[in-house]
Structure formats: C-alpha cells, structure tokens
Amino acid sequence: MAIERTFSIIKPDATHRNLTGAVNAKLEAAGLRIVAQKRIHMTRAQAEGFYAVHKERPFFGELTEFMSSAPVVVQVLEGEDAVAKNREVMGATNPEEAVPGTIRKEYALNIGENSVHGSDSLENAATEIAYFFKDEEIVG
Ligand code: ATP
Ligand code: MG
C-alpha cells in the first residue's frame, strides 16, 4: 500500500440536499484526508470535457446536464490506497446494489443522481485532479 491522491466530486443531488458535510464525514471516517476542496458550478462544456470518456454512452447527455445543473464540490482526497478506499466508501454506481453504510447506499437517489464521483484508477485520478486544481491549491 502507498499514500495516494484521488479525485472526488460531491454531485448536485447531494449539495442540493445539504449533504456536503455528511459525505465529508464518511470520507474522513474512512481515513481519507481532504487536501483540497472547492464548490463550483460547472458549465456544460466543463462537464462534457470531464466525462469525455463516456461520450458514446447513452446517458452522456443526461449526465452532463445533471452535473452542470447546480453546484458541486470538487475535492482531492489523500491517504493509504486512496483510489480503492474511496471507491469502497462510495459504494456501487447503482445505489440499489451498494453495500450498507456506503455513501451511495445512504444518500444516492438513483443510478444517475448518485451523490458522488470518484476516480477509478491512479492514472485517471491524476488527470482528473489536474482538470480542476492547480498544484498550489492542494495542501497535504
Ligand atoms: P463515477 O464515475 O461518477 O464515480 P462510476 O465510476 O461508479 O461513477 P461510471 O460507469 O463511470 O460509474 O458512470 C459515470 C456516471 O454516469 C455515474 O456515476 C452515474 O452518475 C452516471 N451513470 C452511469 N450509468 C448510468 C445509467 N445507466 N443511467 C444514468 N446515468 C448513469
Ligand atoms: Mg466512473
């Protein structure tokens, strides 16, 4: 295991329901340190750029509309095995399939409005962090 950094987004469905603190409590309880965080309202173009890997998927329009519909909180999380640890505490994409105690099981509304995003690999984490943060904004 190694100390890693991963990228996280608290999605519009969660910020809208005042769940930013509740999500952060779960992340911190899992041993992840929030080393950068800001609340932003993504433009449609920013959301389309971020989710470019999904542009052929049938839900791309719905996803980018949702992610640019209201504020989100973008974050950098640091800790042992942070990429895998964050995916674990997030839970499955579909909240109906998520393990009890995970963020998505407790807070997600459905497969689209599923409260959080988390990088799925160390390589993607680096790309996603750089999409939203400058080095000097990340304070470990
Ligand atoms: P994320 O990338 O947000 O951490 P994930 O890796 O669990 O989630 P992906 O397969 O990468 O899931 O899908 C990206 C996002 O697209 C999902 O989190 C969800 O918001 C949305 N999404 C995925 N599948 C569907 C679907 N079938 N219908 C609607 N939206 C979907
Ligand atoms: Mg994903």
Side-chain angles (χ1 to χ4, degrees):
M1 292 213 294
I3 300 288
E4 295 174 351
R5 282 180 176 173
T6 191
F7 177 73
S8 162
I9 305 178
I10 304 177
K11 295 185 177 183
D13 67 281
T15 59
H16 182 66
R17 289 176 290 148
N18 266 0
L19 292 171
T20 299
V23 170
N24 280 349
K26 291 258 190 211
L27 298 173
E28 292 186 337
L32 293 161
R33 182 176 300 276
I34 302 162
V35 296
Q37 173 168 259
K38 59 188 172 190
R39 184 176 171 102
I40 61 167
H41 192 146
M42 274 194 235
T43 62
R44 185 72 183 259
Q46 230 176 341
E48 287 171 353
F50 180 75
Y51 281 114
V53 291
H54 293 315
K55 70 173 180 295
E56 306 305 330
R57 308 274 285 270
F59 55 81
F60 182 70
E62 185 187 329
L63 174 62
T64 55
E65 184 183 356
F66 168 58
M67 292 300 287
S68 57
S69 67
V72 300
V73 176
V74 291
Q75 310 175 301
V76 181
L77 309 176
E78 185 177 272
E80 286 277 341
D81 245 352
V83 173
K85 194 175 277 181
N86 186 41
R87 297 289 294 187
E88 199 179 314
V89 71
M90 287 164 61
T93 310
N94 183 347
E96 286 176 19
E97 290 162 15
V99 169
T102 60
I103 294 166
R104 284 167 166 170
K105 184 66 177 188
E106 293 208 6
Y107 303 125
L109 299 175
N110 52 60
I111 194 170
E113 296 167 299
N114 60 2
S115 302
V116 282
H117 162 86
S119 308
D120 57 12
S121 70
L122 202 49
E123 192 190 354
N124 286 341
T127 308
E128 292 175 1
I129 289 169
Y131 194 80
F132 288 103
F133 290 98
K134 299 180 187 135
D135 281 349
E136 63 267 29
E137 291 179 306
I138 306 168
V139 184

